[in-house]
Amino acid sequence: MVNVDKYKEINKVLQGQGTTLVAVSKLKPASDITAMYELGQRDFGENYVQELVEKQVLLPADILWHFIGHLQSNKVKYIAPFIHLIQSVDSEKLLKEIDKQAAKNKRKISVLLQVHIAEEHTKFGFDEAELMTLDVVMFPNVNITGLMGMATFTDDKEKVKREFEQLRTFSNNFKNTKKIELTTLSMGMSDDYELAISCGSSMIRIGSLLFGERN
Ligand SMILES: *Cc1c(COP(=O)(O)O)cnc(C)c1O
């Protein structure tokens, strides 16, 4: 089930902000995506390769698919032909494989580098030192267009705010050090998207608020 009122409310908040809404449809049926597509939504986020591939063949070709889950190198080939943006690139090995698969498909693939900002050890991503030493010119078929991060799961708003601000600072440092154009700072989910926007997010990833809780 799609929460139409919430969808409209979030779009109102985003109006004139230059922030893109990615509707996170993982574990939700294709019919929910169709319902939201009919409201005008085009950017959808998925976490699992097999689920994404199954939905992609069923749904309209002009959907912009974002991959936001942990991605294993050996599965890049399944999404390389059509993926719009891989937001969860967390290793050099993965970048190398995306570069290879992009070349095979005669396209460039846009990616965000996932940065570890939360205190939880389970969240994947580069740390600042790894970002700064990354050789960004080694991947000619990959467009690195920004960073993505997930804050700690906590009620402590000050802590979440510090983590978002840290990610924005990393983004500025990375851009200045590597002399690359970064257009996207992907941060903010159902529980913290307003805070993320106030901290400079240009892309929010919302699941449960739009589609209801997941099992
Ligand atoms: C599931 C997921 C989301 C959406 O989470 P909600 O709290 O349901 O909005 C956003 N980003 C990533 C990386 C996710 O895995």
Side-chain angles (χ1 to χ4, degrees), residues 24 26 47 68-69 148 150 188-191 205-209 214:
V24 176
K26 63 180 171 212
N47 287 55
I68 63 171
M148 184 271 265
M150 265 188 283
M189 307 173 27
S190 289
D191 288 337
R205 311 175 309 272
I206 310 282
S208 41
L209 272 187
R214 291 174 297 271

Side-chain angles (χ1 to χ4, degrees), residues 14-197:
L14 295 186
Q15 230 165 44
Q17 294 266 9
T19 304
T20 301
L21 168 64
V22 177
V24 176
S25 47
K26 63 180 171 212
L27 306 176
K28 297 294 176 180
S31 56
D32 280 2
I33 299 176
T34 302
M36 196 147 285
Y37 180 90
E38 284 167 358
L39 297 172
Q41 180 65 23
R42 291 296 177 271
D43 292 84
F44 290 91
E46 290 281 342
N47 287 55
Y48 309 103
V49 168
Q50 191 182 340
E51 182 183 349
L52 169 56
V53 169
E54 285 171 10
K55 286 172 171 171
Q56 192 267 339
V57 296
L58 289 176
L59 289 160
D62 64 341
I63 286 182
L64 304 173
W65 293 104
H66 297 245
F67 196 82
I68 63 171
H70 181 60
L71 181 58
Q72 288 170 284
S73 296
N74 62 358
K75 295 193 174 166
V76 173
K77 57 178 177 282
Y78 301 115
I79 62 171
F82 66 85
I83 199 73
H84 172 65
L85 180 64
I86 302 176
Q87 297 203 13
S88 44
V89 175
D90 58 3
S91 71
E92 210 172 319
K93 181 180 172 219
L94 185 55
L95 269 176
K96 211 174 266 176
E97 180 63 19
I98 295 169
D99 187 55
K100 182 177 143 193
Q101 296 299 332
K104 265 194 181 168
N105 285 278
K106 299 189 170 55
R107 64 183 296 237
K108 283 207 170 200
I109 295 179
S110 295
V111 306
L112 306 181
L113 303 179
Q114 184 171 351
V115 180
H116 186 269
I117 50 171
E119 72 182 10
E120 289 124 21
H121 294 298
T122 51
K123 291 191 175 155
F124 294 98
F126 291 94
D127 62 29
E128 189 180 20
E130 288 167 337
L131 267 193
M132 293 310 165
T133 54
L134 185 69
D135 197 353
V136 293
V137 298
M138 293 250 296
F139 315 99
N141 307 294
V142 176
N143 284 329
I144 299 172
T145 59
L147 304 183
M148 184 271 265
M150 265 188 283
T152 303
F153 187 70
T154 173
D155 290 332
D156 183 351
K157 293 284 173 211
E158 280 305 313
K159 182 176 178 59
V160 172
K161 185 168 177 230
R162 280 197 301 276
E163 291 174 355
F164 285 153
E165 284 172 345
Q166 188 185 34
L167 184 58
R168 193 182 55 195
T169 303
F170 284 175
S171 174
N172 288 335
N173 293 347
F174 185 59
K175 182 162 59 183
N176 293 336
T177 307
K178 304 294 179 184
K179 310 268 180 274
I180 52 176
E181 187 77 33
L182 295 184
T183 54
T184 306
L185 187 55
S186 176
M187 56 187 195
M189 307 173 27
S190 289
D191 288 337
D192 54 23
Y193 74 94
E194 283 163 310
L195 187 54
I197 292 167

Side-chain angles (χ1 to χ4, degrees), residues 193-213:
Y193 74 94
E194 283 163 310
L195 187 54
I197 292 167
S198 73
C199 293
S201 171
S202 70
M203 185 173 278
I204 57 174
R205 311 175 309 272
I206 310 282
S208 41
L209 272 187
L210 295 174
F211 297 107
E213 294 296 328

